[in-house]
Amino acid sequence: MQLNIQSKRVQPDIAILEMTGRITMGNDSLQIEWNSKQLIAENHKKLIFDMTKVSHVDSTGVGIIVMVAGRMKEVGGELRLAGCNEHVAKVLLLTSIDKIVGLYPTPEVAAKSF
């Protein structure tokens, strides 16, 4: 399944990337990097990856999440992950992503936590 990404803004200054599909090795995953770079260039400091509709994450996906989290920190911002299903959450916990990026049950809860 192809990865689809929709970008939206939540007031006052939070950007959300809604993802549908699989975050795995390949060109599709580069969209996450490009979208994130664009949001950082637009001076967004609060970014949420809405992963409610993400069915699978592999090591490439984990790497992209870590990279985006690092870039956000460099500009004084923060990345949060929201809505991960059981499989995706298990991968993220096994790779200790939760030590780098906050995991939240919904985008709304993630937004309130900033």
Side-chain angles (χ1 to χ4, degrees), residues 65-82:
I65 291 167
V66 170
M67 182 196 59
V68 171
R71 286 207 178 124
M72 290 300 292
K73 278 198 168 100
E74 285 172 10
V75 300
E78 203 171 335
L79 172 66
R80 308 258 161 107
L81 305 180

Side-chain angles (χ1 to χ4, degrees), residues 3-64:
L3 181 66
N4 185 21
I5 301 174
Q6 297 293 319
S7 179
K8 71 180 191 179
R9 310 295 190 275
V10 178
Q11 292 304 326
D13 57 349
I14 301 170
I16 297 178
L17 291 182
E18 293 179 342
M19 301 178 206
T20 305
R22 299 164 58 91
I23 304 175
T24 56
M25 192 163 80
N27 290 336
D28 282 356
S29 293
L30 292 175
Q31 294 177 63
I32 299 169
E33 187 178 346
W34 298 329
N35 279 288
S36 299
K37 276 184 181 176
Q38 179 64 37
L39 292 168
I40 290 169
E42 293 170 4
N43 209 29
H44 283 280
K45 302 276 195 238
K46 299 173 183 174
L47 178 58
I48 298 170
F49 285 178
D50 180 355
M51 301 179 63
T52 306
K53 296 177 185 166
V54 172
S55 59
H56 183 77
V57 173
D58 70 2
S59 59
T60 300
V62 169
I64 287 171

Side-chain angles (χ1 to χ4, degrees), residues 87-98:
H87 169 73
V88 170
K90 190 182 219 177
V91 170
L92 297 176
L93 292 171
L94 283 171
T95 55
S96 297
I97 293 295
D98 59 311

